[in-house]
Amino acid sequence: MKSLLKEPLLHFLTIGAAFFALYLYLNPGEMSADDRIVVSPERIEQLAGNFRQTWQRPPTRDELDALVNDFVVEEILYRQALAMGIDKNDTVIRRRLRQKMEFYTDDVADRVSPDRERLAQYLADNTERYRQPARVSLEQVYLRNDMPREQLDQRIDEVTAQLAADEAVESDSAMIPRHFESVSGRELDRTFGGGFTRSLADLPVGDWQGPVTSGLGVHFVRIRDFQPARTPALEDVMAEVERDWRNEHTQTLRRQVHERLREDYDVVVRWPEDREPSS
């Protein structure tokens, strides 16, 4: 008997029964309304469909009976909880109900399909968001700079002469890639350190140039191709533009619904004295 009294389930049932009895005493007649539960064929098909989706097979007869019985229990507890006001002041339930309301709003927003003209205008209004950075393809020869200045200058003169004579020159480190294909300035700066891309801005395309200093050392650079920054055509970013337009449209619709519904309420916010908003 003593061990039975220690069972958590017994505690739960005892406290729940007491709570429920107290509620009936304080609210006579509240529980008698809406006491009919009808499980429709559509609901049973939905339960079977959920089972099939989870287990990749239809439920057996016993399993379907169990699903229906479990649904009935859930419905009973749901109604009892509402009748007892358990949903009141519950943050999780409030957030879930708000989420469901916003699902309805989002569903309305999803039904709107923007035409090409509307997407083109959206792209024109937000060009910076879709602007594609300049891209460059180059070859570089890296020289270490952790040597006396005189020795480094001599090395630079040697490499300058070799490149001018179109001779092969080895970099001082095989760890740094020699060739870069269609990379952005951000990618170059990530490899060589901030500001390296700016040092290439005025270099001509086609010939070896340098020396150029980076956070790693000294470089000779031959730019083979340079594509300036550009705003893409709508066809190139159609999916991205439509996704962003839909997201913005949904947020706008949500805001409009919130404002419209708020008109039906007299909202009073009583701020604590030490938290009153500044006027």
Side-chain angles (χ1 to χ4, degrees):
M1 185 64 180
K2 288 184 178 179
S3 61
L4 182 62
L5 292 176
K6 294 179 180 179
E7 284 295 324
L9 176 60
L10 180 60
H11 294 173
F12 174 80
L13 293 174
T14 303
I15 293 172
F19 183 39
F20 190 56
L22 176 62
Y23 180 84
L24 288 176
Y25 175 76
L26 296 175
N27 303 274
E30 286 289 325
M31 294 301 185
S32 59
D34 195 21
D35 57 357
R36 185 164 187 248
I37 295 176
V38 177
V39 185
S40 66
E42 293 78 11
R43 177 66 69 184
I44 295 174
E45 286 301 323
Q46 182 189 35
L47 295 172
N50 293 342
F51 183 97
R52 190 181 301 109
Q53 190 172 22
T54 301
W55 299 102
Q56 302 299 308
R57 63 172 177 81
T60 64
R61 181 70 230 182
D62 289 344
E63 288 170 336
L64 188 58
D65 288 343
L67 290 172
V68 172
N69 289 333
D70 187 65
F71 174 80
V72 171
V73 170
E74 180 180 280
E75 182 66 19
I76 291 171
L77 293 178
Y78 168 71
R79 294 187 186 188
Q80 298 289 27
L82 289 181
M84 295 166 68
I86 292 178
D87 59 314
K88 302 293 191 301
N89 298 319
D90 186 306
T91 302
V92 174
I93 292 176
R94 286 168 62 92
R95 287 178 179 169
R96 180 58 181 154
L97 291 176
R98 172 181 178 166
Q99 190 179 44
K100 291 201 71 170
M101 289 292 290
E102 290 180 339
F103 280 161
Y104 293 131
T105 307
D106 295 351
D107 185 58
V108 172
D110 286 343
R111 294 173 188 272
V112 178
S113 296
D115 56 21
R116 190 185 186 287
E117 183 179 359
R118 183 172 295 187
L119 294 178
Q121 185 60 50
Y122 187 83
L123 174 60
D125 293 340
N126 299 277
T127 52
E128 284 305 313
R129 184 186 305 175
Y130 303 100
R131 190 170 176 78
Q132 295 180 348
R135 293 197 166 271
V136 61
S137 298
L138 60 82
E139 179 181 4
Q140 66 89 31
V141 172
Y142 164 69
L143 305 182
R144 292 172 27 234
N145 62 355
D146 56 346
M147 62 183 73
R149 184 69 222 184
E150 183 178 348
Q151 186 179 345
L152 177 60
D153 288 342
Q154 182 179 351
R155 174 85 168 121
I156 289 174
D157 290 342
E158 291 173 355
V159 172
T160 301
Q162 288 176 298
L163 292 175
D166 203 21
E167 296 178 2
V169 179
E170 294 293 330
S171 286
D172 286 352
S173 172
M175 301 295 290
I176 304 175
R178 186 176 181 109
H179 297 274
F180 290 83
E181 298 295 333
S182 190
V183 291
S184 67
R186 181 176 298 181
E187 292 170 299
L188 280 179
D189 285 347
R190 202 156 49 224
T191 300
F192 296 103
F196 183 75
T197 302
R198 282 198 302 275
S199 65
L200 306 180
D202 297 326
L203 298 184
V205 176
D207 297 324
W208 282 103
Q209 305 291 329
V212 176
T213 303
S214 78
L216 302 177
V218 177
H219 309 261
F220 284 84
V221 178
R222 179 163 63 183
I223 297 177
R224 293 188 290 101
D225 184 53
F226 176 78
Q227 298 295 328
R230 67 185 183 92
T231 301
L234 177 60
E235 283 67 24
D236 295 335
V237 287
M238 180 74 81
E240 187 178 352
V241 170
E242 182 170 348
R243 181 199 63 201
D244 292 345
W245 182 91
R246 285 187 176 281
N247 182 56
E248 192 169 307
H249 177 67
T250 299
Q251 295 304 319
T252 299
L253 185 59
R254 277 189 183 186
R255 188 167 54 253
Q256 291 172 341
V257 169
H258 296 167
E259 291 172 354
R260 171 62 190 86
L261 292 175
R262 187 170 179 138
E263 292 175 358
D264 295 336
Y265 293 85
D266 179 21
V267 179
V268 178
V269 181
R270 295 193 174 93
W271 291 93
E273 291 184 0
D274 60 342
R275 292 184 180 276
E276 288 188 358
S278 56
S279 56

